[in-house]
Amino acid sequence: MPVALAGGLLSAVQSRINSRLSTELADGFTASAISFGTGLVIVLVIVLSRRSLRARAATFGRDLRIGALPWPLALGGIGGATFVLGQTFTVALIGVALFIVCVVAGQTVTGLVVDRVGLGPGGVRPLTAPRLIGAALMVLAVGLAMSSGVGVDVPWPLLVLPVVAGAAMGLQQAVNGRVSQHTGHFMIATLGNFVVGTAMLVLVAVVHTLVVGHGPAPLPANPLLYLGGAIGVVFIAIAAQLAGPLGVLTLAMTTIAGQIVGSVLLDVLAPTGTEHLTPLTLVGAALTLVAAAVTAGIGPARRRSGS
């Protein structure tokens, strides 16, 4: 769980970096494609530099072709790309706070369902009281943490997209765990994610450029703005490795807690001038940790029972 929490903290840093890159380019679509694209380059270098990983990647491709592994399990990258597109389309209209609350709601419900039906690598995990309470507490905690930025005058039909984005992320963690389990290494699932996600985002960026009739602003010179992809590699690799031992719901709860706590820490340590820190924000951030602990508290009992 501490590793998953650290992954969530890194994800908060990635969001800040990608947001700044999007602003510099005046084009969120291109910024998203660049972030995924740099991540893809990093993963390719890692995989191609190791003979064992090259062999596993080749076996993964062969298993997909012959049907030894269901091909939908190779589409985990759609989850990350959907989240990025959801940010681009809705944050400006409903605000980042409400976007995050809706994403967490979608991700939480999906985590419960995925674990219950056994889609993740850890098999079936029952809907017990601690898991249900922890999931409800997480949504409440994130709502409190984000309450200062939530407005009531928003186009509510747009809330469907961030909820779908959260659901897609929950499914992404499940299928990535399955791919890691099948191939024997989390980097193969990470590679598949970045191949699919990059292809999807590059296509969307090209279509957007053709529709608006102009490209993005010149690339910024600050090298730090291109670290989002590297952080994404670490985050997806952590999630792919831990989906089995933690379960999709506990993994989601722990990374969400890391994201919220990380966002608060960034607002305190590296403010941008648009922060809305309130006592409720701090209480909500602390409660996310409690929610993750409540959700995970049943793990040892479940393993002892063999279910």
Side-chain angles (χ1 to χ4, degrees):
M1 286 186 67
V3 177
L5 187 69
L9 291 168
L10 285 174
S11 180
V13 176
Q14 180 195 37
S15 296
R16 175 72 71 89
I17 291 173
N18 285 347
S19 175
R20 177 68 182 275
L21 179 61
S22 176
T23 300
E24 293 285 335
L25 292 174
D27 186 342
F29 298 96
T30 299
S32 301
I34 289 174
S35 179
F36 261 73
T38 55
L40 175 59
V41 171
I42 292 170
V43 177
L44 282 173
V45 169
I46 294 173
V47 171
L48 293 177
S49 65
R50 296 182 57 183
R51 179 184 301 175
S52 62
L53 291 181
R54 293 198 303 270
R56 290 178 191 272
T59 301
F60 174 52
R62 183 201 65 200
D63 288 348
L64 288 175
R65 289 194 302 272
I66 67 176
L69 185 68
W71 66 265
L73 295 183
L75 302 180
I78 293 178
T82 301
F83 176 78
V84 170
L85 292 177
Q87 282 181 316
T88 302
F89 280 116
T90 63
V91 165
L93 297 173
I94 69 175
V96 65
L98 193 53
F99 174 82
I100 292 175
V101 172
C102 292
V103 166
V104 169
Q107 194 173 0
T108 300
V109 172
T110 302
L112 285 168
V113 173
V114 163
D115 278 351
R116 180 64 185 86
V117 302
L119 179 60
V124 176
R125 296 172 187 254
L127 294 179
T128 60
R131 292 167 69 79
L132 292 171
I133 292 171
L137 182 59
M138 180 60 76
V139 177
L140 173 63
V142 173
L144 286 175
M146 301 287 101
S147 60
S148 62
V150 174
V152 295
D153 186 20
V154 298
W156 294 101
L158 286 177
L159 301 186
V160 173
L161 185 54
V163 170
V164 170
M169 290 185 67
L171 290 172
Q172 176 191 37
Q173 292 175 338
V175 299
N176 284 352
R178 289 279 298 277
V179 171
S180 295
Q181 186 181 61
H182 179 85
T183 61
H185 204 289
F186 59 87
M187 283 306 299
I188 306 305
T190 306
L191 173 63
N193 264 250
F194 277 95
V195 169
V196 173
T198 300
M200 180 175 172
L201 289 173
V202 167
L203 177 62
V204 171
V206 170
V207 171
H208 174 258
T209 298
L210 293 175
V211 170
V212 300
H214 62 81
L219 294 175
N222 186 353
L224 296 178
L225 298 183
Y226 302 98
L227 292 179
I231 295 174
V233 171
V234 176
F235 178 76
I236 292 177
I238 287 174
Q241 178 71 4
L242 297 183
L246 288 181
V248 176
L249 179 63
T250 301
L251 172 63
M253 298 297 93
T254 310
T255 54
I256 289 168
Q259 289 166 357
I260 298 300
V261 172
S263 296
V264 171
L265 290 175
L266 283 173
D267 286 348
V268 173
L269 300 176
T272 63
T274 61
E275 290 75 22
H276 299 282
L277 282 177
T278 67
L280 280 179
T281 301
L282 301 178
V283 170
L287 278 179
T288 61
L289 299 174
V290 175
V294 169
T295 305
I298 66 165
R302 181 178 62 247
R303 286 194 293 270
R304 287 196 299 269
S305 67
S307 60

